Each structure stands twice: as structure tokens, then as C-alpha cells.
Amino acid sequence: MSDSEQFSLFNLPDSNGSPPSPPQASPPLGDLALIPTSAQVPIPPGTFQTMADLQEPCSHCQRCELGQSRTHAVIGRGNPQASLMLIGEGPGQHEDEQGLPFVGKSGQLLDKILASVNFNPAQDVYICNVVKCRPPGNRKPEPPEMAACLPYLLEQIRLMDPKLILLVGATAVQGILGSKIVGKAGISKLRGQWYTWQDAQGKERLCMPIFHPSYLLRNQSREKGSPKWLTWQDIQAVRTKYDELVF
Ligand code: URA
Ligand code: URA
């Protein structure tokens, strides 16, 4: 066999220098490596196989400017196979330091609220946030930051496929249900009711807005009609719906 015949056995560039086109596999999912570089890069459904797969791209994500000041990206905690998902606003200082959501004072109260109706925070829920990186000084995330991060959250929802979603505070309501509904009414009006939200796949999902635990910490009254009292009604309604749907 001549040298040139032997060369032709390998897929080397032909005489005009262009490499042979690779066989067409399944449709391209986009370049995983590009996702953290710009909010313009889409994150199509199916990009991630497990919740853990989000950790690596989020840990060096620069889709928005929150990437410049974070210590740790915060993906989630709890059980990704659970039926109840909680979505908060974004990491605070403790969450940024530990890389886990709701581990500060708000998180301790949230765990108590869940435990009050026998939800085990490690087994029965998965907890995450609208934005994965801490906004400096705990300001609210800006709409472009929420938009840049939303496709990660939509992948988390697709992967988990929760039966019920709790939108913890006004930012989560805005992030999922949209500012139209928030514009119509504040969280005090929206909380405690189930809304049907169509996810990225067109699947209808039941979501309930509840007060943010940081708001409850600032409003300690337990009187009838107070935020704490209302949240107690809400979490009991969540337990009832969960027992209907999950058992
Ligand atoms: N507040 C949030 O909304 N999320 C957290 O993870 C912590 C505090
Ligand atoms: N503002 C919020 O963002 N969330 C609440 O739960 C209450 C006030």
C-alpha cells in the first residue's frame, strides 16, 4: 500500500483542506462551554441530565454581573426527587459563603415552617432560588439578572418535575408568574392561592406564592390576619394539596 493510499484510510483533510463533515448525531444542544459566557446563549430543555450538572457551569457563570462578586453559586438543597419545590429570591451572605440556599436566619424559619406540617426539608422538598448568585448587599436581583439566570431554573424545574411549587416572596412570584400578575397585586393579595403556570415545555404546574421568611422575621405578630398567621394557613393548605396529589 502506498503512503497516499494509507493516508486515505484515515479521515484526513482532502486536497482542498476541508475536513470531512462529522456524522449527524442528535440535534445539537448548544455549546455547553458557552452557556456561562453570555445571557445570549440559550440553555435549551435537556441541556442538563441531573441537578448536579448545573454546579460546574454556574460556578464560573458570567451571564450577568452577579458572577463578578459571588463566592459560591447556589444551586439548591434538599431532594431533587421530591414532589415539592420551593423557589426563593437569591443567595444572601451565608448562602454565598456556604454555597447552599436558605441557610441563614430566613432559612431556619423556612425549615421550621416546613417542619410544622411534617415536611422533612432534606427529604420532602427541593429548595432553590431565582438567581444563583448573591446580589451585592442583598439588593433585589434586577430583571436582566433574573432573565439571564431563568433558563437554569427552568432546567431545574424540568429535571425535578415537581407536583407543587411554592414561590417564596415577591421576587419568585415575579420570576415565575411574571410581572403582569405581580403588577396587578402585591404578594399579600396573591399568597395562599394556587396558580397554574405553563412551564417551558407547556406543562401546567401548580404554584402558590407565600410570604418570604425575611418578611415574617420583620413582622413577628402571630395575631389572626398577621403575615405569620396567614403563612400558617398557607402551609397547611400546601400540606393538604400535597397529600391529595402525592399519596
Ligand atoms: N433568601 C432567599 O430568597 N434565598 C436564599 O437562599 C436565602 C435567603
Ligand atoms: N416583600 C417580599 O418581597 N416578599 C414578601 O413575602 C413580602 C414582602
Side-chain angles (χ1 to χ4, degrees):
M1 196 185 287
S2 72
D3 277 355
S4 66
E5 279 171 327
Q6 228 168 32
F7 262 88
S8 72
L9 294 176
F10 301 92
N11 277 333
L12 292 173
D14 61 22
S15 51
N16 68 20
S18 59
S21 47
Q24 282 301 304
S26 45
L29 274 174
D31 193 335
L32 271 176
L34 291 181
I35 285 171
T37 65
S38 161
Q40 304 309 312
V41 179
I43 305 179
T47 294
F48 301 110
Q49 311 304 307
T50 72
M51 219 57 101
D53 290 348
L54 277 83
Q55 192 69 54
E56 195 276 331
C58 288
S59 69
H60 58 95
C61 186
Q62 300 291 339
R63 291 172 69 87
C64 80
E65 65 185 35
L66 299 182
Q68 288 165 29
S69 50
R70 83 168 158 253
T71 311
H72 292 109
V74 173
I75 310 301
R77 70 168 162 102
N79 178 3
Q81 269 90 50
S83 300
L84 179 58
M85 177 180 242
L86 278 76
I87 303 174
E89 176 174 298
Q93 182 194 339
H94 298 289
E95 291 78 20
D96 176 67
E97 285 167 4
Q98 296 180 43
L100 289 170
F102 282 104
V103 290
K105 280 218 166 71
S106 285
Q108 288 162 23
L109 178 53
L110 188 61
D111 283 356
K112 274 195 206 167
I113 292 167
L114 291 167
S116 75
V117 289
N118 293 318
F119 287 127
N120 178 330
Q123 270 171 26
D124 301 328
V125 304
Y126 181 79
I127 304 178
C128 58
N129 282 307
V130 169
V131 294
K132 309 295 181 245
C133 300
R134 181 191 184 198
N138 296 350
R139 64 165 171 76
K140 276 188 190 286
E142 300 286 347
E145 295 161 351
M146 290 164 64
C149 211
L150 182 65
Y152 288 126
L153 180 60
L154 295 177
E155 274 294 84
Q156 289 182 291
I157 294 168
R158 184 189 64 79
L159 285 165
M160 182 180 168
D161 193 19
K163 290 266 200 312
L164 298 172
I165 300 176
L166 298 188
L167 304 170
V168 183
T171 301
V173 177
Q174 186 175 339
I176 290 296
L177 297 179
S179 46
K180 268 187 214 144
I181 192 162
V182 182
K184 279 194 202 114
I187 182 111
S188 308
K189 287 265 164 54
L190 298 170
R191 54 134 284 279
Q193 298 172 71
W194 293 106
Y195 297 87
T196 304
W197 167 69
Q198 272 205 1
D199 74 9
Q201 280 76 50
K203 184 166 178 176
E204 298 202 324
R205 297 191 178 276
L206 278 182
C207 302
M208 181 193 279
I210 61 171
F211 283 124
H212 196 284
S214 67
Y215 182 69
L216 303 180
L217 288 169
R218 297 194 299 271
N219 294 272
Q220 289 284 0
S221 163
R222 295 173 167 276
E223 271 175 47
K224 190 172 177 183
S226 68
K228 276 200 163 176
W229 183 87
L230 291 167
T231 300
W232 170 236
Q233 314 306 305
D234 295 349
I235 200 64
Q236 291 178 89
V238 172
R239 182 77 228 192
T240 300
K241 181 68 85 181
Y242 179 96
D243 290 343
E244 277 171 35
L245 294 181
V246 178
F247 295 110

